[in-house]
Each structure stands twice: as structure tokens, then as C-alpha cells.
Amino acid sequence: MAELPLLSLRSVAKSFGGVRAVSDISFDVQAGESVGLVGPNGAGKTTLFNCVCGQLRNDHGEILFQGRLLERLPTYKRARLGIGRTYQRVEIFTDMSVREHLLVAERARRGEGRLWKDLLNLSAPQRSELDNIEAIMELVGITALADTSVNALGLGHCRLVELARALAGQPKILLADEPSSGLDIHETAEVAKVLRTVQRERGTAVLLVEHDLSMVGEVVDRTVVMDLGLLLAIGTFNEVMGNPAVREAYLGQMGTS
């Protein structure tokens, strides 16, 4: 019997008023696989992410995680199943240290009802929690920043903190939404390195939305191309980038020498 895909999208569609943002999208992500989701602005990539994570409810089609239909399942329950997420805009608490960010994520993952005690300073971190946090900081390369307030960090380090926070939830798949946005070439390379390490050393699947095609080519095993809400092509990075329809719609190179 064939193993079920980790994430499976079947004819997923989402409209806003009369505008179809996502139309009949179907593809799978296997356990431990890295898949790029690319396309021009307005292609529907983030809308599709929001449907997978539960911020939006798809109008049609099915989204399954390890064979389980996610329909009507709230965002936090999807996260506990193993779906992690980062955002285009960095979402962090500026008055917390790096370690405190990860502790919040660890407590949320465990779901033990200890967060209210944290607010009253009645709950000291457990050794197992601290060990997981230390391992994540080492994996992402931010151990030296553990006690630094996030408001003292540059954008590149904030992106790494957000990645670390998502990974602290021990996701089976990480949905990374433009993690290189606003970063320079060196910071982008660091984020790409973390994503490759997460996949290869932890076996975490990655679904990556990204405009930096050189980064996509470095990180992914397969690439899905969307345009105007439609699925345009699926294949290896080189295959889809050589597709004339992709060149015309996404790269604008049709007819050029």
C-alpha cells in the first residue's frame, strides 16, 4: 500500500466576492520533501497558504494532512497536527527575548495550560522545554542571541527568530511565506541554509513561497508555479523554469533571446 502524502490539496478554490484568488489547485507534498510555490504577485500563493493553515476557509476542494480532512479544523489544531507557518511580515513580540519567544511556542505546542501561570510568574521552565529550545537555537544559529531583546535585532535575525519559533512547534511541515523578504544576499543565504538543514537533518517537509528564484533553486526538490490563481506547472526547478508558459507569465522572457 502506497504511503499517503503528508499534505494533499485537491481542487482547492477560494474567491473574494467575484474575484477567484485560487482556482482548482491540486498537488501533494510528501513527508520530508521541500516544495517551492512560486508565481508573480497576485498569483494566489499566500491565499493558498492561509487556506492550508486555517486563516481562510476554502470554498471548494479538499485539504488533507496525513489523510485527514482539515475542513473546519481551527488554526491551532492544525498547528498541533504538525503544520508550522511563517509570514511575509515578521510577526514577533518586540518586548521579549529570543529565548522567551521560543518558550511561548514550546508551551503552545505542549498545550498543557501553563501559559496563564507564566503571566503570573508562577511557572518555571522545565528542563525538557529548555533542552528543546536550546536545540532549536543551535539549529538556526541564534544561540548567542538567546537573552537579547528582539527589538534590538536587525531584520535578518528577526527572520531567523520567527523561523526558530515555528520550528519549536516541531512541525512535520513548515510553510515559509517569503522568508527572504527585505533581506540582503548574505541574510538570504543564511535563511536558505536553515531551511535545507531543517529538511535534511530533521526530516521536516517545507512548502516555500519565495520571489528570490535563486534561493528557491537551492532549497527545493520540486516547484509548483501559480499564475492568476491557476496552477501553471509542476516539476523540478529547472523543468518549470524552462517551461515557455512559465517564462511568459512569470519571467516575462517569451520571445527574448
Side-chain angles (χ1 to χ4, degrees), residues 38-40 213 223-227 231-254:
V38 304
L213 294 182
T223 305
V224 176
V225 184
M226 291 179 63
D227 184 38
L231 194 152
L232 200 58
I234 299 179
T236 68
F237 180 78
N238 289 335
E239 286 171 349
V240 300
M241 289 300 109
N243 185 314
V246 174
R247 293 169 59 193
E248 181 177 25
Y250 185 62
L251 302 176
Q253 294 180 347
M254 177 61 76

Side-chain angles (χ1 to χ4, degrees), residues 168-204:
Q170 298 185 7
K172 296 173 183 176
I173 185 170
L174 174 66
L175 278 67
D177 195 354
E178 296 192 30
S180 78
S181 178
L183 305 187
D184 63 29
I185 187 170
H186 302 293
E187 292 167 334
T188 296
E190 187 64 26
V191 170
K193 178 183 176 182
V194 170
L195 292 176
R196 289 196 303 271
T197 301
V198 165
Q199 180 203 10
R200 295 169 187 174
E201 295 187 7
R202 290 202 159 204
T204 305

Side-chain angles (χ1 to χ4, degrees), residues 20-223:
R20 182 65 67 92
V22 173
S23 301
D24 196 30
I25 297 296
S26 298
F27 65 87
D28 297 332
V29 180
Q30 303 296 332
E33 184 182 26
S34 181
V35 175
L37 183 60
V38 304
N41 289 331
K45 306 180 297 294
T46 295
T47 297
L48 191 62
F49 261 34
N50 288 337
C51 289
V52 172
C53 294
Q55 285 92 354
L56 293 174
R57 182 178 297 173
N58 47 299
D59 300 324
H60 303 287
E62 296 180 337
I63 301 173
L64 299 99
F65 189 72
Q66 294 184 307
R68 177 176 178 176
L69 187 63
L70 297 182
E71 185 178 9
R72 299 186 182 278
L73 201 66
T75 299
Y76 77 93
K77 288 189 176 180
R78 298 186 194 205
R80 287 180 182 170
L81 285 177
I83 300 175
R85 167 85 188 264
T86 68
Y87 294 84
Q88 288 182 21
R89 291 182 58 188
V90 176
E91 302 285 347
I92 52 177
F93 304 107
T94 56
D95 57 345
M96 284 186 176
S97 71
V98 171
R99 180 181 281 109
E100 288 168 341
H101 265 80
L102 303 193
L103 181 59
V104 168
E106 175 71 5
R107 290 283 170 86
R109 177 184 71 84
R110 293 182 179 227
E112 296 173 346
R114 295 163 58 88
L115 284 173
W116 71 270
K117 294 183 180 180
D118 295 337
L119 297 175
L120 299 175
N121 293 319
L122 297 177
S123 179
Q126 300 176 0
R127 172 43 50 188
S128 59
E129 293 174 329
L130 294 176
D131 287 346
N132 184 43
I133 289 170
E134 292 297 329
I136 293 295
M137 288 192 295
E138 183 176 356
L139 176 71
V140 179
I142 56 174
T143 301
L145 302 173
D147 297 314
T148 303
S149 178
V150 171
N151 62 17
L153 300 179
L155 179 59
H157 282 137
C158 286
R159 289 281 184 196
L160 293 177
V161 171
E162 188 178 35
L163 265 177
R165 187 177 60 192
L167 293 171
Q170 298 185 7
K172 296 173 183 176
I173 185 170
L174 174 66
L175 278 67
D177 195 354
E178 296 192 30
S180 78
S181 178
L183 305 187
D184 63 29
I185 187 170
H186 302 293
E187 292 167 334
T188 296
E190 187 64 26
V191 170
K193 178 183 176 182
V194 170
L195 292 176
R196 289 196 303 271
T197 301
V198 165
Q199 180 203 10
R200 295 169 187 174
E201 295 187 7
R202 290 202 159 204
T204 305
V206 175
L207 183 57
L208 170 67
V209 164
E210 182 55 61
H211 282 295
D212 188 328
L213 294 182
S214 62
M215 177 182 174
V216 174
E218 289 181 19
V219 171
V220 306
D221 304 313
R222 287 189 302 131
T223 305

